[in-house]
Amino acid sequence: MKFGPVPLDEAEGALLAHSLRAEGLSLPKGRRLTSSDVSAIAAAGIAEAIVVRLEPGDVEEDEAAQAIADAIPKDHLTFSPATTGRVNVFAACNGLFRADRAVVDRLNRLDPAVTLATLRDHADVKAGDMVATIKIIPLAAPGAAVSAAVEILAQARPFEVQPYAALKVGLVATMLPSLKSTVMDKTAQLLKARLSASRSRLDREIRVPHRTEAVEDAIVSLLPDHDLVVVFGASAMTDFDDVIPAAIRMAGGTVIQAGLPVDPGNLLVFGEIDGKPVVGAPGCARSPKENAFDWVLSRVMAGEWPSVQEMTGWGVGGLLMEIPTRPRPRLGEARPEGLQIETVILAAGQGRRMGPEGRHKLLALFDGEPLVRRTARVAKEAGYATPLLVTGHRAAEIEAAVDGLGCRAVFNPAYEDGMASSLRAGLAAAADADGLLVLLADMPAVTAEDIACLTRAFVAAGGNSIVRAVSNGKRGNPVILPKSVFPAVMRLEGDIGARPVIEKSGLPVLDVEIGLAAHLDTDTPDAVIAAGGVLGA
């Protein structure tokens, strides 16, 4: 491959190395120049072009990226088409991401032109999360390097997603006079939220005094009918012969590991009885913040028990308590009660896909009611008394459509810049909230109960997790964003929603199944009609 400037009479057939723009001319990087392109460049007064000329054996970037992607097994993964030398890889299900560092390193050391980046090994992923990206750095790669990468991938899998299994879970909770029953109730709710990613369910809870014999009896009673038993002690483990590890041994089991080099989560106990896992949860697992319990639970849900060798190797990266993306410093339990949650309805868009007639999709009638009014009414029925309505295009008509519902209109003067500007405008009006429910105004199937379910999940998680609606496990809308990500939302630009914030936050993401409503929007006239609407003005 040869890179550099060439006279225009030598440029035809070469790949343009940098995008080229002049008056009346816009050619993208990577374009194979035609004779017409060369004539247009000359007409713009440009005498030479910086190009890449392929040599025998070179493979263009998209072809190279696609060849490498095609060599990776597709189990539980989906792949984007190759574009600009990149293929992105996504999880097709909720599960545990597994990466083989040796294989990834071998591939990345073949040639600087070929790169593969993945999430960390054993990351918890949701369906639709990006887990890896293949990127060809220049506009072409040596064919020998591409062939070598394909050969490596034919011999070993670089990464995979192990789907979570739906487990039947039993909970043992010990009691002391100092522990309020409301705390125990909230602990059970949070455990249910943690289990939801795998469609596992908390089947039964037994509350017993904080004594070894009582815990042993409860574990033994739960084991025959459950795949996993979790024990929450009213008092933290202070010795390796304390109540929870002693109860596991008395029940005939083995304590695999007591104590971990992970903070928060040092005091976790991991054992097994008759081939079934028993986890003594640390006290920090009463909070939704990431801790060692999440690490162990994700492995158990994926059918992969962590070994002593692995768990004792968690020290590097095991200091979680001061990570900036955490919702709050670990100074006390999360406050699940009294959370102030605002809802913002995004209704500023221009609806460019509605056709030349200029009909506004949000004024389409559903059962005789304008769609934007329907959305605002549903939000109010779900308990949001004063929804924030972000307007822009045809703002006066949108505001008139919701008259009498008590919405607070927020005009976005930059609405033509795209959705991010509307998100920022809505958030600016709700900056004091603990959480922001983001509703798209063009989703007619979302119900008040759907919104209430999302809200309950957010409250149960203490307001420290992202909550999003899914359909059959595939992410959708609405979403609820916690206060800790508000600064990141305010930095969004362009015609994008909150997805980049969700993917990069490092926070737990709780998926709430609401069915097809999570994906049903009305961006085109046909979509409005298919959803049961009547086109309006």
Side-chain angles (χ1 to χ4, degrees):
M1 184 175 69
K2 294 181 179 179
F3 171 92
V6 297
L8 288 187
D9 59 4
E10 300 178 17
E12 184 176 345
L15 302 176
L16 191 61
H18 302 293
S19 59
L20 190 59
R21 290 182 176 83
E23 186 174 351
L25 179 69
S26 179
L27 299 176
K29 167 188 170 183
R31 181 183 179 91
R32 187 175 292 278
L33 295 174
T34 65
S35 59
S36 297
D37 294 334
V38 172
S39 298
I41 295 171
I46 300 171
E48 63 178 17
I50 301 176
V51 301
V52 167
R53 288 172 290 179
L54 302 189
E55 297 180 295
D58 287 341
V59 181
E60 289 191 39
E61 55 177 351
D62 285 352
E63 182 183 349
Q66 192 65 58
I68 294 170
D70 288 344
I72 297 173
K74 303 300 188 290
D75 299 344
H76 312 302
L77 298 168
T78 60
F79 293 71
S80 71
T83 181
T84 64
R86 183 185 299 276
V87 172
N88 292 328
V89 188
F90 304 88
C93 61
N94 296 354
L96 190 68
F97 178 73
R98 292 297 318 277
D100 188 325
R101 175 181 287 275
V103 176
V104 175
D105 286 350
R106 281 182 62 199
L107 189 145
N108 282 323
R109 289 166 182 159
L110 287 171
D111 189 282
V114 176
T115 68
L116 169 62
T118 77
L119 295 181
R120 64 172 176 84
D121 186 31
H122 285 98
D124 166 65
V125 296
K126 305 296 187 295
D129 287 349
M130 189 165 80
V131 298
T133 185
I134 301 159
K135 173 61 179 171
I136 305 302
I137 302 299
L139 293 175
V146 176
S147 297
V150 171
E151 178 63 25
I152 288 172
L153 298 174
Q155 299 171 6
R157 185 189 294 252
F159 54 81
E160 62 181 331
V161 174
Q162 292 181 209
Y164 288 140
L167 304 180
K168 190 177 178 182
V169 181
L171 171 62
V172 179
T174 73
M175 300 181 294
L176 287 173
S178 58
L179 185 63
K180 295 180 179 179
S181 61
T182 53
V183 173
M184 301 175 75
D185 294 341
K186 293 167 187 173
T187 299
Q189 289 301 313
L190 185 54
L191 178 58
K192 290 178 181 178
R194 279 189 161 103
L195 295 172
S196 64
S198 64
R199 302 184 186 273
S200 297
R201 62 187 176 93
L202 179 55
D203 177 70
R204 185 183 174 197
E205 178 183 2
I206 300 176
R207 296 184 179 182
V208 298
H210 190 71
R211 296 198 305 269
T212 301
E213 296 80 1
V215 174
E216 176 204 1
D217 289 343
I219 292 174
V220 170
S221 70
L222 289 172
L223 273 175
D225 299 319
H226 295 85
D227 305 302
L228 164 67
V229 174
V230 177
V231 184
F232 268 92
S235 179
M237 178 185 69
T238 59
D239 188 89
F240 301 131
D241 289 320
D242 209 336
V243 170
I244 296 175
I248 292 173
R249 295 188 187 100
M250 287 182 64
T254 301
V255 175
I256 298 171
Q257 183 70 22
L260 294 176
V262 181
D263 192 354
N266 293 130
L267 305 182
L268 182 139
V269 178
F270 182 56
E272 67 87 20
I273 303 173
D274 296 332
K276 294 185 179 180
V278 179
V279 180
C284 60
R286 297 187 191 275
S287 161
K289 298 177 186 178
E290 183 181 11
N291 61 81
F293 181 63
D294 294 297
W295 291 17
V296 172
L297 183 63
S298 64
R299 284 158 173 76
V300 170
M301 292 191 302
E304 177 189 305
W305 293 15
S307 66
V308 172
Q309 181 75 8
E310 181 183 4
M311 289 186 284
T312 53
W314 286 349
V316 175
L319 183 60
L320 305 177
M321 58 191 297
E322 299 299 339
I323 292 177
T325 54
R326 299 288 166 247
R328 295 185 180 92
R330 188 164 62 92
L331 300 177
E333 294 299 320
R335 178 174 59 89
E337 295 180 352
L339 292 173
Q340 180 185 348
I341 309 171
E342 297 275 7
T343 183
V344 57
I345 301 172
L346 302 184
Q350 300 174 78
R352 292 188 177 96
R353 296 173 62 190
M354 288 298 290
E357 296 84 0
R359 291 169 169 162
H360 202 309
K361 61 182 178 180
L362 300 186
L363 299 178
L365 299 180
F366 285 78
D367 296 326
E369 182 180 37
L371 178 54
V372 66
R373 184 180 183 88
R374 178 192 186 100
T375 304
R377 174 179 55 78
V378 165
K380 289 180 68 70
E381 291 174 355
Y384 292 89
T386 311
L388 293 165
L389 182 73
V390 180
T391 64
H393 181 59
R394 295 173 65 174
E397 295 167 84
I398 296 298
E399 291 181 30
V402 300
D403 186 50
L405 286 180
C407 296
R408 180 154 65 102
V410 178
F411 180 70
N412 172 21
Y415 67 89
E416 292 183 351
D417 293 344
M419 185 184 294
S421 65
S422 292
L423 268 173
R424 297 196 307 269
L427 179 54
D432 293 333
D434 297 300
L436 186 71
L437 168 67
V438 181
L439 285 174
L440 306 184
D442 65 343
M443 301 187 71
V446 174
T447 67
E449 180 55 28
D450 293 335
I451 295 172
C453 286
L454 292 165
T455 305
R456 287 194 293 269
F458 184 78
V459 171
N464 294 327
S465 296
I466 294 167
V467 176
R468 68 182 171 194
V470 299
S471 175
N472 196 25
K474 184 178 179 181
R475 65 189 170 203
N477 286 290
V479 300
I480 304 181
L481 304 173
K483 189 170 187 174
S484 59
V485 304
F486 287 2
V489 174
M490 293 302 288
R491 292 192 294 269
L492 289 173
E493 297 284 348
D495 193 21
I496 59 173
R499 178 176 169 182
V501 172
I502 294 171
E503 293 179 345
K504 297 177 181 178
S505 71
L507 298 179
V509 179
L510 305 181
D511 288 340
V512 176
E513 179 67 46
I514 67 169
L516 294 178
H519 293 152
L520 182 62
D521 56 22
T522 52
D523 283 341
T524 66
D526 287 345
V528 171
I529 295 169
V534 176
L535 295 172

